[in-house]
Amino acid sequence: MKEIDAKGLACPKPVVLAKKAITSNQEVLIIVDNQTAASNLTKLGKKMGAEVSVVEESETEFRVMFKKTKSTDSENADSESETSGAKIYLIPSDTMGDGERELGQILIKGFISTIKELDPLPEKIIFLNSGVKLATKEDIIFYLKELEEQGVEILLCGTCVDYYELQEEVGVGDISNMFEIADNLNRGDVVTI
C-alpha cells in the first residue's frame, strides 16, 4: 500500500498526488488536513472508479483510502472521452463586464436565467473567484437548479468557497478543486463570461 502525507498542501496538489498514485498502485492512503481536501479526494476516487472511504477523521487529519478495482482504468478512460469538446462556461466573477457593479449584477443574472433557453445546453458551468458567490444568491440559485435538472453540471472552486467563507451558504452545485477544473477546461470548448 502506498501512503502519501498531503497535509498542508494547497489545492490541487493532494488530488494530483492521489491521481498519480492510484494509477500505479492497488491501494493508496492519502492523509490531508481539511474536509474540503478529503471531499475532493473522495470525488476523484469515484470519478476514477476506485473504491474510496474515509478511514479516519479528526479535526486536524483525514485519512482517505483508495482501492483499485478491475474496472478503474477503463471507467476513467471512458469518463475522460465523454467530456472531450463539451461546451463549458467559466464564470470568474459575480458580475458581468467591467462597468458599473449594479449593471454587471443585472447582466449576470440575465445571462444565467437565459442559459436554459439555449440549444444545446452547456455541459458544465464552472464558477471561480467571486463567481462562487452566485451559488449563494436565491434569485440565481433558482436558475442554476433548473439547469442542473436539465443535466448541466455546476462546479464551484472549493478554494474560492473557503476564501469567501461561503461553505454554509452554497445552495447549488458541487464543490470542486483546481485539478478537476483545469482538467475540464483542458477537455472542453470553454467560453469565459
Side-chain angles (χ1 to χ4, degrees):
M1 175 178 67
K2 174 113 175 137
E3 184 174 314
I4 298 171
D5 185 350
K7 292 186 302 235
L9 299 180
C11 175
K13 193 67 174 173
V15 173
V16 171
L17 292 172
K19 185 170 186 219
K20 288 180 183 176
I22 293 167
T23 302
S24 57
N25 295 279
Q26 191 64 30
E27 290 186 354
V28 177
L29 177 68
I30 309 276
I31 305 164
V32 293
D33 57 6
N34 63 78
Q35 179 63 55
T36 301
S39 297
N40 287 337
L41 290 169
T42 300
K43 191 173 186 178
L44 171 73
K46 289 177 181 173
K47 181 179 178 182
M48 292 184 73
E51 291 179 26
V52 59
S53 60
V54 177
V55 293
E56 189 177 322
E57 182 177 331
S58 71
E59 278 186 33
T60 59
E61 189 172 282
F62 298 81
R63 294 175 168 264
V64 182
M65 172 67 80
F66 299 90
K67 291 184 182 176
K68 213 176 198 181
T69 63
K70 290 182 181 181
S71 60
T72 298
D73 293 327
S74 63
E75 286 180 19
N76 187 36
D78 290 344
S79 70
E80 286 178 3
S81 64
E82 286 175 15
T83 59
S84 182
K87 184 75 71 179
I88 298 171
Y89 291 167
L90 177 64
I91 301 180
S93 176
D94 60 344
T95 65
M96 188 175 206
D98 294 328
E100 295 294 321
R101 181 160 179 74
E102 185 178 349
L103 175 59
Q105 290 172 328
I106 292 168
L107 293 174
I108 197 69
K109 180 181 177 184
F111 177 79
I112 290 172
S113 68
T114 304
I115 295 172
K116 67 181 169 116
E117 305 301 328
L118 300 177
D119 185 25
L121 289 171
E123 183 174 312
K124 300 174 195 287
I125 303 174
I126 300 174
F127 294 90
L128 292 174
N129 208 317
S130 66
V132 298
K133 293 178 180 179
L134 296 169
T136 68
K137 299 183 183 302
E138 286 300 321
D139 56 339
I140 303 285
I141 290 171
F142 172 79
Y143 298 114
L144 293 175
K145 283 185 176 179
E146 281 188 333
L147 288 166
E148 273 188 328
E149 289 170 6
Q150 293 179 23
V152 177
E153 187 176 3
I154 309 294
L155 298 176
L156 309 170
C157 167
T159 300
C160 305
V161 169
D162 289 347
Y163 180 84
Y164 290 111
E165 299 179 351
L166 299 173
Q167 301 87 341
E168 303 300 319
E169 298 175 46
V170 170
V172 65
D174 293 322
I175 305 297
S176 188
N177 60 76
M178 197 51 70
F179 180 82
E180 182 180 18
I181 290 169
D183 188 48
N184 278 295
L185 296 176
N186 187 50
R187 296 176 191 287
D189 179 11
V190 181
V191 177
T192 302
I193 308 306

